Amino acid sequence: MSQPSAKFIVIEGLEGAGKSSAIALVRDFIEKQIGQAPICTREPGGTPLAEKIRDLVKIAEPSDPLCDEAECLLIYAARAQLVANVIKPALKTGSWVLGDRHDLSSLAYQGGGRDLMPLVATVSAATLKGFKPDLTLYLDIDPVQGLQRAAKRGALDRIEQQDISFFQRARATYLSLAEQDDSIFVIDASQEMADVHQAILTVLQQQGW
């Protein structure tokens, strides 16, 4: 049986949805499936330059607040670096890639949450040129529950401190986009972790890779 061609899989979700444990689960699944661990990335970040951009986006600067449009453009600058210098080269050489967030996050957070969808759509098209994950697992959770979980991890970053309505708009956008794209699977992340993980494994096993 030939080894399946390299895939780009992404885990998405609001704060507190359980992305970290899901990523560990999917990483182990891929390694068992193909005998090699995937290259794991995170967004924004994933390259030396993109990590510096991540700091600009995540850390609040009271004397020079980051405006919404600048936030959007910085995130796409980081994504362009990651896609060009890590993701595409890895896939080209046959390595699978597992991403902690990708373009769907910007569509949800900056497009829906910030109400910048025209800008997001334009920049996304210009930078990605149609490049997209083979599979996206969106961990869906009510923002109130998710932020309560996130707060237990420690201090919230600049984006995590947004008003609850921001996350409600982001969630609505996630769900709307998932309905329109059969490569996006919605996982109920409000369940017990064991049930969430079983749902994820079921989706992965159904792919036939």
Side-chain angles (χ1 to χ4, degrees):
M1 182 177 178
S2 60
Q3 181 171 303
S5 59
K7 306 296 182 185
F8 177 29
I9 301 174
V10 171
I11 310 296
E12 289 278 358
L14 297 176
E15 279 64 26
K19 288 192 293 92
S20 296
S21 64
I23 288 167
L25 178 76
V26 177
R27 179 190 181 282
D28 289 346
F29 177 89
I30 294 171
E31 186 169 9
K32 290 176 183 176
Q33 197 77 2
I34 67 171
Q36 179 181 354
I39 292 174
C40 295
T41 67
R42 70 172 182 175
E43 295 196 28
T47 77
L49 180 55
E51 286 294 324
K52 293 178 181 179
I53 296 174
R54 180 185 181 88
D55 289 341
L56 295 176
V57 172
K58 290 281 190 175
I59 300 173
E61 177 51 66
S63 66
D64 187 16
L66 187 64
C67 74
D68 294 347
E69 291 79 6
E71 175 186 276
C72 176
L73 295 171
L74 283 170
I75 289 174
Y76 273 102
R79 180 168 298 129
Q81 287 293 114
L82 180 64
V83 170
N85 294 338
V86 175
I87 298 177
K88 284 186 174 180
L91 295 172
K92 189 174 182 180
T93 59
S95 295
W96 288 48
V97 179
L98 176 59
D100 178 350
R101 299 195 181 281
H102 189 60
D103 196 47
L104 191 59
S105 278
S106 291
L107 293 166
Y109 279 66
Q110 283 72 48
R114 302 290 192 208
D115 196 24
L116 292 176
M117 193 60 82
L119 174 62
V120 172
T122 298
V123 179
S124 175
T127 55
L128 297 176
K129 299 179 176 62
F131 177 76
K132 61 177 291 190
D134 295 285
L135 174 71
T136 298
L137 298 169
Y138 165 58
L139 307 179
D140 181 54
I141 193 168
D142 180 89
V144 174
Q145 183 182 358
L147 289 171
Q148 287 173 345
R149 288 183 182 177
K152 294 178 181 178
R153 301 195 305 254
L156 301 178
D157 65 31
R158 187 184 68 85
I159 292 180
E160 291 171 336
Q161 294 175 25
Q162 300 301 301
D163 185 87
I164 191 66
S165 62
F166 167 85
F167 295 104
Q168 290 168 338
R169 292 191 298 273
R171 183 194 188 193
T173 305
Y174 266 129
L175 292 171
S176 175
L177 293 172
E179 287 183 353
Q180 303 168 44
D181 189 334
D182 59 11
S183 72
I184 303 172
F185 289 80
V186 178
I187 305 293
D188 180 2
S190 68
Q191 307 174 86
E192 293 296 325
M193 186 176 294
D195 295 324
V196 174
H197 286 188
Q198 184 55 56
I200 290 171
L201 290 173
T202 298
V203 171
L204 293 174
Q205 290 161 354
Q206 290 173 344
Q207 300 311 302
W209 293 327

